[in-house]
Amino acid sequence: MTPSRDGVAWSLPAPMLTTAVDSPALPSGYAGEPKWDGFRAQLSRFGDGRVLLRSTQGTDVTAAFTDIREAAFAQLPQGTGLDGEPVVWESGRLAFERLQQRLGRRGAAAVAERARRWPAHYIAFDLLHTVGEGDVTGWPYARRRAAPEALFADRGLVEPFTLCPSTTDPTSAAEWLAWSAAGVEGLCFKRLDAPYRAGVRSPVWQKYKVRMTTEAIAAAVTGPLAARRSVLLGRHDTGGRLRYTGRTTTLPAALSRALADRLTPPDEGPGAHPCEGWTSTAGWGAAGRAHAAGMPIPAVGRLRDRQVLDR
């Protein structure tokens, strides 16, 4: 709990979580919101001047996003607690990899340089605490939604703050799926009469995620050959050269074992395989040397490791 200037202690609750659904149709009695290509983080502006940006897992990431911290101090009233997503916009799309690079920098000079190159925006989709009302998580979504709309209008909030769109119109919600190339990953559905339930994964909050299916070549694996941790994926370019395109997240044990019989060894000799001897980092989620192998498999979804950043 953090004391505010008026002596009242408060902190934001654990984030409410979504339940995955297979249909993009907006249910009756729900509001729809775009699902952004960012990561979930709550933002608190305390009365003592402090600002806290905290990930879903409770990690303090404030120091990595000085631009959001400074804007919160300058624009948000004391006692404000928001739920939302930091995002980075680059070349006409949301770039999750730039968020990862922002998180990975240490030292004031490096953080400032990354903030200059890849400024972050904070997309707010819920208001959880106000200086006048205190904790408002018990309010139904419809009332909580009106509160950030009033906050943005009354305070004239500007960049890097953005209010997440919300609609009860199924047609409008479906149209947001056309923004997938720009970084909309799907839709979130929130029941209008539902309170914010701290730390609960509930069907009153639903998430539909767009998934794209394509074929890729499992070009290499990381980890010991007897216990493969992840697969490096590739596609052939127009010249027939195998190019690295991404990797899987850490493989479940059963899938790792099943993969063994389907891999084929590469040709022998130096340079025979483009991935031979690559080394991975902790950022890949499966540190170690890449071992060459190959087979065609379907690759579903966008393959990358979000580590502590899961929504």
Side-chain angles (χ1 to χ4, degrees):
M1 302 289 282
T2 300
S4 66
R5 182 167 297 173
D6 59 7
V8 177
W10 67 279
S11 62
L12 292 183
M16 185 172 175
L17 304 175
T18 58
T19 299
V21 295
D22 295 327
S23 173
L26 177 63
S28 176
Y30 283 70
E33 300 173 353
K35 167 66 180 79
W36 306 97
D37 192 10
F39 71 88
R40 182 84 171 274
Q42 295 176 331
L43 181 63
S44 304
R45 164 67 159 98
F46 297 110
D48 60 4
R50 288 194 313 110
V51 171
L52 174 64
L53 186 65
R54 186 182 68 185
S55 76
T56 303
Q57 284 73 21
T59 304
D60 183 350
V61 296
T62 318
F65 294 95
T66 52
D67 40 0
I68 293 178
R69 181 186 66 197
E70 292 167 2
F73 181 79
Q75 298 188 46
L76 296 181
Q78 298 172 10
T80 299
L82 296 170
D83 197 357
E85 292 193 53
V87 298
V88 170
W89 183 264
E90 182 184 52
S91 301
R93 68 178 183 91
L94 297 177
F96 183 81
E97 63 273 19
R98 300 308 186 198
L99 282 176
Q100 292 179 307
Q101 290 173 302
R102 290 284 304 265
L103 282 166
R105 303 306 296 176
R106 297 293 183 269
V111 169
E113 189 271 338
R114 291 297 170 101
R116 179 189 60 79
R117 290 180 63 187
W118 304 310
H121 296 254
Y122 186 81
I123 301 177
F125 51 71
D126 219 324
L127 182 67
L128 308 180
H129 192 279
T130 73
V131 67
E133 299 286 347
D135 181 353
V136 298
T137 57
W139 291 0
Y141 170 85
R143 185 179 179 189
R144 290 198 323 277
R145 174 66 196 185
E149 291 177 356
L151 174 67
F152 270 74
D154 295 345
R155 301 286 297 197
L157 300 187
V158 296
E159 292 185 355
F161 295 112
T162 300
L163 181 61
C164 182
S166 175
T167 186
T168 56
D169 176 38
T171 301
S172 297
E175 289 173 351
W176 289 333
L177 294 175
W179 301 356
S180 59
V184 172
E185 293 192 325
L187 299 171
C188 290
F189 306 131
K190 300 177 180 179
R191 206 170 74 189
L192 295 169
D193 61 356
Y196 189 100
R197 300 178 62 191
V200 173
R201 189 176 298 280
S202 170
V204 300
W205 272 27
Q206 302 175 2
K207 176 175 66 177
Y208 169 77
K209 193 168 185 179
V210 175
R211 294 190 179 274
M212 296 174 288
T213 302
T214 186
E215 281 201 346
I217 294 171
V221 294
T222 65
L225 290 175
R228 297 148 192 85
R229 294 187 186 133
S230 67
V231 179
L232 276 62
L233 302 173
R235 299 285 296 270
H236 288 108
D237 62 19
T238 55
R241 180 174 174 80
L242 182 63
R243 299 287 187 179
Y244 171 75
T245 56
R247 61 158 188 82
T248 66
T249 54
T250 301
L251 299 173
L255 181 56
S256 177
R257 291 190 298 269
L259 193 61
D261 296 336
R262 302 184 65 188
L263 294 171
T264 58
D267 296 333
E268 300 293 334
H273 193 285
C275 300
E276 180 64 45
W278 279 16
T279 56
S280 64
T281 67
W284 284 12
R289 181 173 292 275
H291 301 280
M295 69 171 196
I297 62 171
V300 181
R302 304 182 68 180
L303 301 168
R304 60 183 171 216
D305 182 24
R306 290 179 178 255
Q307 298 181 348
V308 302
L309 309 180
D310 250 349
R311 186 161 176 179

